[in-house]
Amino acid sequence: MSETVTFIHAADLHLGAPFRGLRNVSDKWADRLVKAVPEAYDRLVDVALEHHVDFVIIAGDTFDEAHPSYGDYLHFVIGLNRLGQAGIPVYLCTGNHDPYTSWRQNYARLPQNAFMFSATRPGYFCYQRDGRPIALLAGRGFYNQAWPAGESVATGITAVDAEAALGVSAPFSIGVIHTGLDRDISKAPVAPAQLQRAGMDYWALGHLHRPEIIDDPNDPHIVFSGCIQGRALNETGPHGVNLVTLRKGACNKVEFIPTASVVWERPNVDVSDAESLSDVVERIVSELYRLNGTSFCSQMIERIVLRGATTIHETLQRPGVLDDLRDRINAEVPDFFCDAVVDATTLPLDKERMRREGLFPATFMETCEQTVKHREESLAYLQDAFAEKGLSLPRFVEKRLDTLGSEAEDLVLDLLNGGRS
């Protein structure tokens, strides 16, 4: 039977984080949000215990601030102790939110089952099972809140370096760093190619708040787990941890497990066929339930954007109407909280009137119609225009020429009609 190791890859817990960007929040939901991040951490621990993993990795930003409260630190240690009682070690590095200087000066000693990678140089640990080396872990954390320019956080974090430092070999080697990779060059940037050359079976990365597999999704080696709980409207969608299984001679397996108890969404709701405010509420509620079906939790916070050309556009612009809509939605679906409804609708275009007027819009519509009728000439023109820029015409343009022409016509006419889209 081939050797196997399983572990939880988590990052960006941000214990103690405030929630940002809400326009209106009730006392009930303010209290709910305060509890969401620690609940997500508790769920992380539960997942590790439920799956009887070999160990847990936390790839930086355990805390949201360099000086967290005693309560947040105590909550973290209680979770570590729960894992320790089950014989599960935890390997962690520091991030830019909770650099090593803060841990050294302000925090108590970690439990015996918790192992922190060095921040001044690469650090190495060996996970053993029944006295046998199973996995070598190499990592490095942030010493201060900023990473030194020109220095790679991944230097010295290779399978060969780990074996040399520990004096043992093992079936698996795992790298642990907090990095912006090549997505955020302000936070310990690293080229993915450097990680690919390091000989690691898996790279557990932190910093980016969305789960992402950087290389082959069928055999992932370089992975961001994302944060465990979204904290603002720009952190939409599911958040959680990765359950990772490494098997010698087989592809790596990464299973995303949600931990967030509240999901943030920014839905666009098409109300172009709505004839009343009740129709608008119906379409919003329908979209919220559709989103909730894929959100992996029962509670959501959303900011709703109404779109489309609708006859009730002017009604939506009346003072107080959007606030009334928000209140109706919150009363109808109490497990979802709408902090605002944004009107991005327009009035329907009266194209027949524009044609009768015979002004520029009429000429423009005639040109658009001719473009669609003479497809070959239009495509040749577009190909020449793209070629002058050193680009190839995208394939979808030929298939969607009619649709694109109609969309472009509506966009220009709307701008000429007042630009309210």
Side-chain angles (χ1 to χ4, degrees), residues 58-333:
I58 302 175
D61 283 357
T62 296
F63 298 106
D64 190 63
E65 296 183 354
H67 307 287
S69 70
Y70 173 75
D72 290 330
Y73 186 76
L74 179 62
H75 193 107
F76 177 60
V77 171
I78 289 172
L80 295 181
N81 284 331
R82 288 178 61 202
L83 294 169
Q85 290 168 4
I88 299 175
V90 179
Y91 303 95
L92 65 153
C93 72
T94 55
N96 55 293
H97 277 257
D98 62 340
Y100 180 75
T101 51
S102 299
W103 290 82
R104 185 180 64 177
Q105 296 171 7
N106 301 313
Y107 306 163
R109 181 175 297 176
L110 290 168
Q112 291 185 345
N113 68 311
F115 305 90
M116 179 176 285
F117 291 101
S118 172
T120 57
R121 62 183 65 86
Y124 310 96
F125 297 106
C126 177
Y127 169 76
Q128 297 188 3
R129 185 192 299 142
D130 300 325
R132 293 179 53 244
I134 300 298
L136 305 184
L137 296 98
R140 185 175 177 183
F142 273 62
Y143 188 82
N144 297 313
Q145 290 180 314
W147 189 261
E151 182 178 346
S152 173
V153 67
T155 298
I157 305 177
T158 69
V160 171
D161 288 321
E163 289 183 2
L166 296 170
V168 296
S169 60
F172 305 103
S173 298
I174 300 165
V176 182
I177 53 175
H178 194 80
T179 173
L181 212 61
D182 56 356
R183 272 85 168 146
D184 180 359
I185 61 173
S186 66
K187 296 295 186 294
V190 180
Q194 181 179 354
L195 305 188
Q196 291 168 342
R197 293 192 299 267
M200 293 295 191
D201 296 289
Y202 186 88
W203 281 95
L205 307 183
H207 181 60
L208 297 189
H209 283 196
R210 292 184 183 277
E212 182 178 357
I213 294 173
I214 302 302
D215 49 356
D216 184 355
N218 298 313
D219 186 19
H221 290 77
I222 306 173
V223 184
F224 286 97
S225 62
C227 59
I228 60 172
Q229 168 64 60
R231 304 166 301 150
L233 276 168
N234 65 337
E235 295 183 350
T236 57
H239 293 279
V241 300
N242 290 332
L243 173 63
V244 184
T245 302
L246 307 182
R247 189 183 302 276
K248 210 65 181 174
C251 292
N252 294 343
K253 179 183 177 182
V254 175
E255 178 185 356
F256 175 79
I257 299 180
T259 56
S261 58
V262 179
V263 168
W264 301 66
E265 296 290 355
R266 301 189 69 172
N268 290 291
V269 180
D270 184 358
V271 295
S272 55
D273 62 344
E275 298 179 355
S276 67
L277 293 179
S278 294
D279 289 344
V280 173
V281 172
E282 180 182 333
R283 282 153 183 72
I284 290 173
V285 172
S286 176
E287 177 62 12
L288 293 182
Y289 278 114
R290 187 194 69 78
L291 286 171
N292 187 245
T294 58
S295 67
F296 299 104
C297 72
S298 61
Q299 295 185 307
M300 296 193 311
I301 292 181
E302 67 280 342
R303 181 171 299 166
I304 297 160
V305 181
L306 304 180
R307 297 193 180 277
T310 174
T311 56
I312 63 169
H313 168 73
E314 292 178 339
T315 301
L316 293 170
Q317 292 198 319
R318 293 174 187 167
V321 168
L322 296 179
D323 290 340
D324 289 343
L325 277 175
R326 184 194 69 233
D327 293 342
R328 288 175 63 179
I329 294 161
N330 286 335
E332 188 158 338
V333 280

Side-chain angles (χ1 to χ4, degrees), residues 350-382:
D350 189 347
K351 293 185 179 180
E352 290 306 315
R353 176 183 59 79
M354 293 180 181
R355 285 192 176 93
R356 289 195 301 270
E357 290 174 344
L359 301 176
F360 174 76
T363 303
F364 176 73
M365 284 188 284
E366 175 63 24
T367 301
C368 290
E369 291 171 2
Q370 293 301 317
T371 299
V372 173
K373 285 181 180 179
H374 301 88
R375 290 179 56 86
E376 298 302 324
E377 293 178 13
S378 299
L379 287 172
Y381 171 80
L382 290 172

